[in-house]
């Protein structure tokens, strides 16, 4: 099984979990997965082995896993300076904040 196939499978499982779990549990799961992916990527980098594609790190970060990614970045000193990854990573945080603000403002407008 390739890494891409594995990540697609895990993504499907997380999506199903999001349908049946409380929101907070879904957020915990995606952040744990994102943290694990950053940690695994750091380990692979140290060993000089084939790495996790940056797109997967960014995809999981975009789906509200950025907190796990941010913690892993600081803990493992991984991808803290690499451009354009750093800018794209912070863009995922900004986009998630915008989504939350729009969601909350929509709810405020309905009441």
């Amino acid at each position: 099984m390739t890494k891409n196939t594995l990540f697609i499978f895990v993504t499907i499982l997380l999506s199903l979990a999001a349908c049946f779990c409380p929101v907070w549990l879904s957020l915990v799961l995606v952040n744990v997965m994102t943290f694990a992916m950053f940690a695994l990527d750091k380990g692979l980098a140290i060993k000089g082995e084939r790495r996790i594609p940056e797109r997967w790190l960014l995809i999981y970060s975009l789906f509200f896993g950025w907190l796990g990614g941010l913690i892993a970045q600081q803990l493992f000193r991984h991808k803290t300076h690499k451009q354009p990854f750093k800018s794209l990573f912070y863009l995922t945080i900004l986009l998630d904040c915008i989504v939350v603000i729009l969601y909350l403002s929509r709810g405020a407008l309905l009441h």
Side-chain angles (χ1 to χ4, degrees):
M1 180 180 292
T2 67
K3 286 179 189 163
N4 279 336
T5 306
L6 178 63
F7 293 136
I8 291 169
F9 179 71
V10 170
T11 302
I12 291 168
L13 288 178
L14 286 173
S15 299
L16 289 172
C19 294
F20 300 106
C21 296
V23 172
W24 67 269
L25 183 56
S26 298
L27 290 172
V28 168
L29 291 173
V30 75
N31 277 282
V32 167
M33 183 63 191
T34 306
F35 180 91
M37 288 172 61
F38 272 80
L40 176 62
D41 191 51
K42 177 65 175 191
L44 293 170
I46 290 171
K47 293 178 185 176
E49 295 181 14
R50 190 167 179 179
R51 310 268 302 276
I52 295 173
E54 287 183 350
R55 72 178 169 269
W56 282 108
L57 299 174
L58 292 169
I59 287 169
Y60 274 79
S61 297
L62 180 62
F63 289 105
F64 295 94
W66 56 265
L67 182 59
L70 193 61
I71 292 168
Q73 275 187 322
Q74 300 307 309
L75 186 63
F76 303 118
R77 299 284 181 231
H78 187 53
K79 295 200 177 282
T80 55
H81 297 290
K82 185 176 182 205
Q83 290 294 353
F85 182 86
K86 183 178 177 181
S87 296
L88 292 171
F89 180 75
Y90 286 119
L91 180 62
T92 66
I93 296 171
L94 177 64
L95 290 172
D96 283 350
C97 289
I98 290 170
V99 166
V100 169
I101 290 168
L102 289 173
Y103 176 78
L104 292 175
S105 67
R106 180 181 161 266
L109 292 175
L110 294 176
H111 294 293

